Amino acid sequence: MFNIFKKKDIKMYPTKASQSIASLALLINNGGYPFSDWKDPSVQLTEEEKNLIEPACQCLQLFFYRYAYNERHLLGDVMLGSVLAVVKDNNPHLAKLYEIGIDLFEETMLFLFNKSMNKKDLIDNLPSYFAVNWERNYNRDETSKEIRDETSEKLLQCLLYSRTTGDSVLQPMIDAIVDFDLDEIEQISFRKKRSLFEDVLYKRTYYPFLFRHMPIPNANLLLESRQKEHNLALEFTSKKDVLENNFIESFKRDGLTYQSIRDSYLEFIKSIDEIRSDLVNIGGVDCNICLNDLEVSRQKMSDLYLELIANSLPDKIEAEKEFKLKLDGIYLSVLELFNPAEYINPDEMISYIFTMEDSYILRYSKAIKVDLIVEYFKTNNLIQGFDEEQKEFVNSKLKLFSVL
């Protein structure tokens, strides 16, 4: 892990990603340009307004740094996370404040996205919506609505100004990078809502004694984990669209019968619920968005099915409502069977299980044989390296498998 504050040769526009992260982190910690130039010169601010508006503008500059990578926004996400991880080493309070602001930008953007805005309208409206949210969340002064609205307007003007100054520096920094040496970057940040793929890296970081046989997490592995989740979300969305279309088309066939309609509905629900179960197991930002879309699709198709039954076979409608509730109940019971095995490298599966809550481990206590656990720890030379505290932790987990 590198310490950027000991580097003497940092340039403004480095060509290596690791050095670019170091350069940007230094700018943040030292309050350098563009983070020092956030205030619209035409706006007059009180000290209280300055304290409210300055960090919001700097959060906006960093938020758009991420998306300045354009279609490589996942790369921008990882790069920004590494920058904040480095900042956190020197100024944890500042890094935490930026994380809060960037998360609020993300939530605001998702809200606008759900309003079906196109990309241009979303970007145009984002600062104004964020200004209102930030003012409401972080302005603790008891003032009138008129004054709060005035503060929000000042914030918006400064946000728009700081976007310009931020882009003038941060975009050239990104454009200058020709060597994305992500394998060299070990200072990384994990999402709060992380996927199973990312959670494995998180556990390697915070339980290193259980994963000594696995590669140390770095920015490249983190990027791969987020790309895997993103691609699966796209794949599952595509499958959902096909299933939905096939279900609708099945109503247009000749010679429809009650049984054929019911079979089509059952096949749709079974297939959708398999995808839903996978999405719940994987988790993460993109898969959760996909899961929400599937929930909407499932409900919409169920409503369509019940409407068709009500119109053509009204005497069957109550039975079909009960049938739907039964299918819903089966799905909810299956959701409790969390199964990460399909998505985790077998070489670290047992280590990962040992990091889980005891209630989860108990679900595997009969599925995993004791001999397999012992062999796993011996094969990977893990036992010899445990200190007393680590031995106590492992033994507490082993007891759940009735080993001791």
Side-chain angles (χ1 to χ4, degrees):
M1 187 176 294
F2 59 84
N3 185 340
I4 66 163
F5 300 105
K6 294 181 180 179
K7 288 181 174 286
K8 304 297 184 183
D9 58 344
I10 293 178
K11 302 175 181 178
M12 184 62 187
Y13 298 127
T15 57
K16 284 190 173 184
S18 58
Q19 295 173 353
S20 186
I21 286 171
S23 179
L24 182 52
L26 280 174
L27 283 176
I28 293 172
N29 275 286
N30 294 333
Y33 190 87
F35 304 105
S36 59
D37 191 12
W38 54 269
K39 179 182 165 300
D40 186 327
S42 67
V43 176
Q44 299 298 317
L45 300 175
T46 65
E47 189 64 25
E48 290 77 12
E49 289 172 334
K50 175 183 178 296
N51 293 336
L52 176 76
I53 293 174
E54 180 178 6
C57 292
Q58 293 163 345
C59 288
L60 175 137
Q61 291 172 324
L62 290 173
F63 177 81
F64 279 104
Y65 166 81
R66 174 195 300 175
Y67 287 98
Y69 286 83
N70 297 320
E71 70 277 2
R72 299 182 299 169
H73 68 277
L74 289 176
L75 173 60
D77 193 21
V78 170
M79 291 286 287
L80 177 58
S82 291
V83 170
L84 293 178
V86 175
V87 172
K88 188 177 294 183
D89 286 343
N90 192 59
N91 195 335
H93 173 74
L94 183 64
K96 183 64 176 178
L97 182 61
Y98 285 160
E99 287 174 350
I100 291 172
I102 292 167
D103 285 346
L104 184 58
F105 266 113
E106 283 288 340
E107 292 172 8
T108 307
M109 186 173 72
L110 183 59
F111 169 77
L112 295 176
F113 177 78
N114 289 335
K115 290 173 68 73
S116 300
M117 286 190 179
N118 60 46
K119 183 176 180 180
K120 183 181 183 305
D121 288 343
L122 190 153
I123 296 301
D124 289 344
N125 283 276
L126 182 59
S128 60
Y129 275 81
F130 174 83
V132 173
N133 287 339
W134 182 269
E135 197 281 333
R136 287 175 178 171
N137 281 310
Y138 299 106
N139 187 357
R140 303 306 180 194
D141 295 339
E142 294 185 6
T143 55
S144 65
K145 181 179 183 301
E146 289 75 15
I147 294 177
R148 298 185 79 99
D149 289 344
E150 181 183 345
T151 302
S152 294
E153 183 58 32
K154 289 181 179 180
L155 171 55
L156 176 58
Q157 286 180 254
C158 291
L159 286 172
L160 296 175
Y161 177 84
S162 62
R163 167 78 193 277
T164 301
T165 59
D167 288 351
S168 70
V169 173
L170 302 181
Q171 186 65 63
M173 286 188 75
I174 294 169
D175 295 339
I177 302 173
V178 295
D179 180 9
F180 284 93
D181 55 339
L182 302 184
D183 288 333
E184 302 298 320
I185 303 171
E186 294 177 9
Q187 285 164 290
I188 55 180
S189 295
F190 296 99
R191 288 172 170 171
K192 294 178 182 177
K193 297 179 180 179
R194 53 185 172 270
S195 70
L196 186 59
F197 311 120
E198 184 171 341
D199 196 50
V200 171
L201 299 178
Y202 176 84
K203 296 299 177 58
R204 286 192 209 170
T205 300
Y206 290 96
Y207 297 88
F209 59 95
L210 291 174
F211 296 90
R212 285 197 306 270
H213 58 301
M214 300 303 295
I216 296 174
N218 56 49
N220 187 54
L221 293 174
L222 183 61
L223 178 61
E224 288 178 354
S225 74
R226 292 183 184 172
Q227 289 173 331
K228 186 180 295 186
E229 181 214 339
H230 180 72
N231 291 335
L232 277 173
L234 293 177
E235 178 185 329
F236 286 139
T237 297
S238 178
K239 287 182 178 179
K240 181 267 296 182
D241 292 341
V242 170
L243 289 171
E244 187 175 297
N245 183 66
N246 288 345
F247 179 59
I248 293 173
E249 289 297 316
S250 70
F251 294 158
K252 301 177 183 179
R253 299 172 190 153
D254 294 333
L256 282 179
T257 64
Y258 166 62
Q259 191 59 50
S260 65
I261 296 173
R262 200 172 199 260
D263 289 346
S264 294
Y265 174 64
L266 180 58
E267 181 61 31
F268 170 79
I269 293 296
K270 288 173 61 179
S271 300
I272 280 290
D273 284 354
E274 287 177 4
I275 297 176
R276 289 167 83 203
S277 181
D278 283 334
L279 288 169
V280 169
N281 277 335
I282 297 169
V285 175
D286 292 333
C287 281
N288 282 338
I289 292 173
C290 179
L291 178 61
N292 290 336
D293 290 342
L294 258 72
E295 299 283 359
V296 171
S297 173
R298 189 182 190 277
Q299 185 60 50
K300 185 172 70 173
M301 293 301 102
S302 292
D303 291 344
L304 181 63
Y305 171 70
L306 293 177
E307 181 183 352
L308 180 64
I309 294 297
N311 292 336
S312 57
L313 298 164
D315 58 315
K316 301 284 188 181
I317 187 61
E318 293 304 321
E320 291 312 300
K321 287 180 179 178
E322 289 294 325
F323 181 53
K324 175 188 177 299
L325 292 175
K326 182 179 180 181
L327 293 177
D328 293 344
I330 292 173
Y331 169 69
L332 292 175
S333 65
V334 170
L335 281 186
E336 297 179 0
L337 303 177
F338 176 62
N339 179 23
E342 184 178 349
Y343 300 103
I344 293 181
N345 186 336
D347 292 341
E348 57 186 328
M349 184 65 200
I350 291 179
S351 290
Y352 183 77
I353 291 175
F354 268 55
T355 68
M356 297 167 69
E357 297 292 334
D358 290 356
S359 58
Y360 282 112
I361 291 179
L362 289 172
R363 299 179 185 181
Y364 297 92
S365 59
K366 295 181 180 179
I368 301 178
K369 295 181 179 179
V370 172
D371 292 346
L372 180 63
I373 298 175
V374 174
E375 183 63 28
Y376 173 86
F377 280 107
K378 286 183 177 179
T379 300
N380 294 301
N381 297 316
L382 295 175
I383 298 177
Q384 295 85 342
F386 293 157
D387 60 26
E388 290 305 313
E389 184 178 351
Q390 292 163 356
K391 286 180 181 178
E392 182 178 349
F393 173 84
V394 171
N395 285 338
S396 69
K397 301 296 182 180
L398 284 173
K399 288 177 182 178
L400 300 174
F401 293 89
S402 302
V403 176
L404 300 180

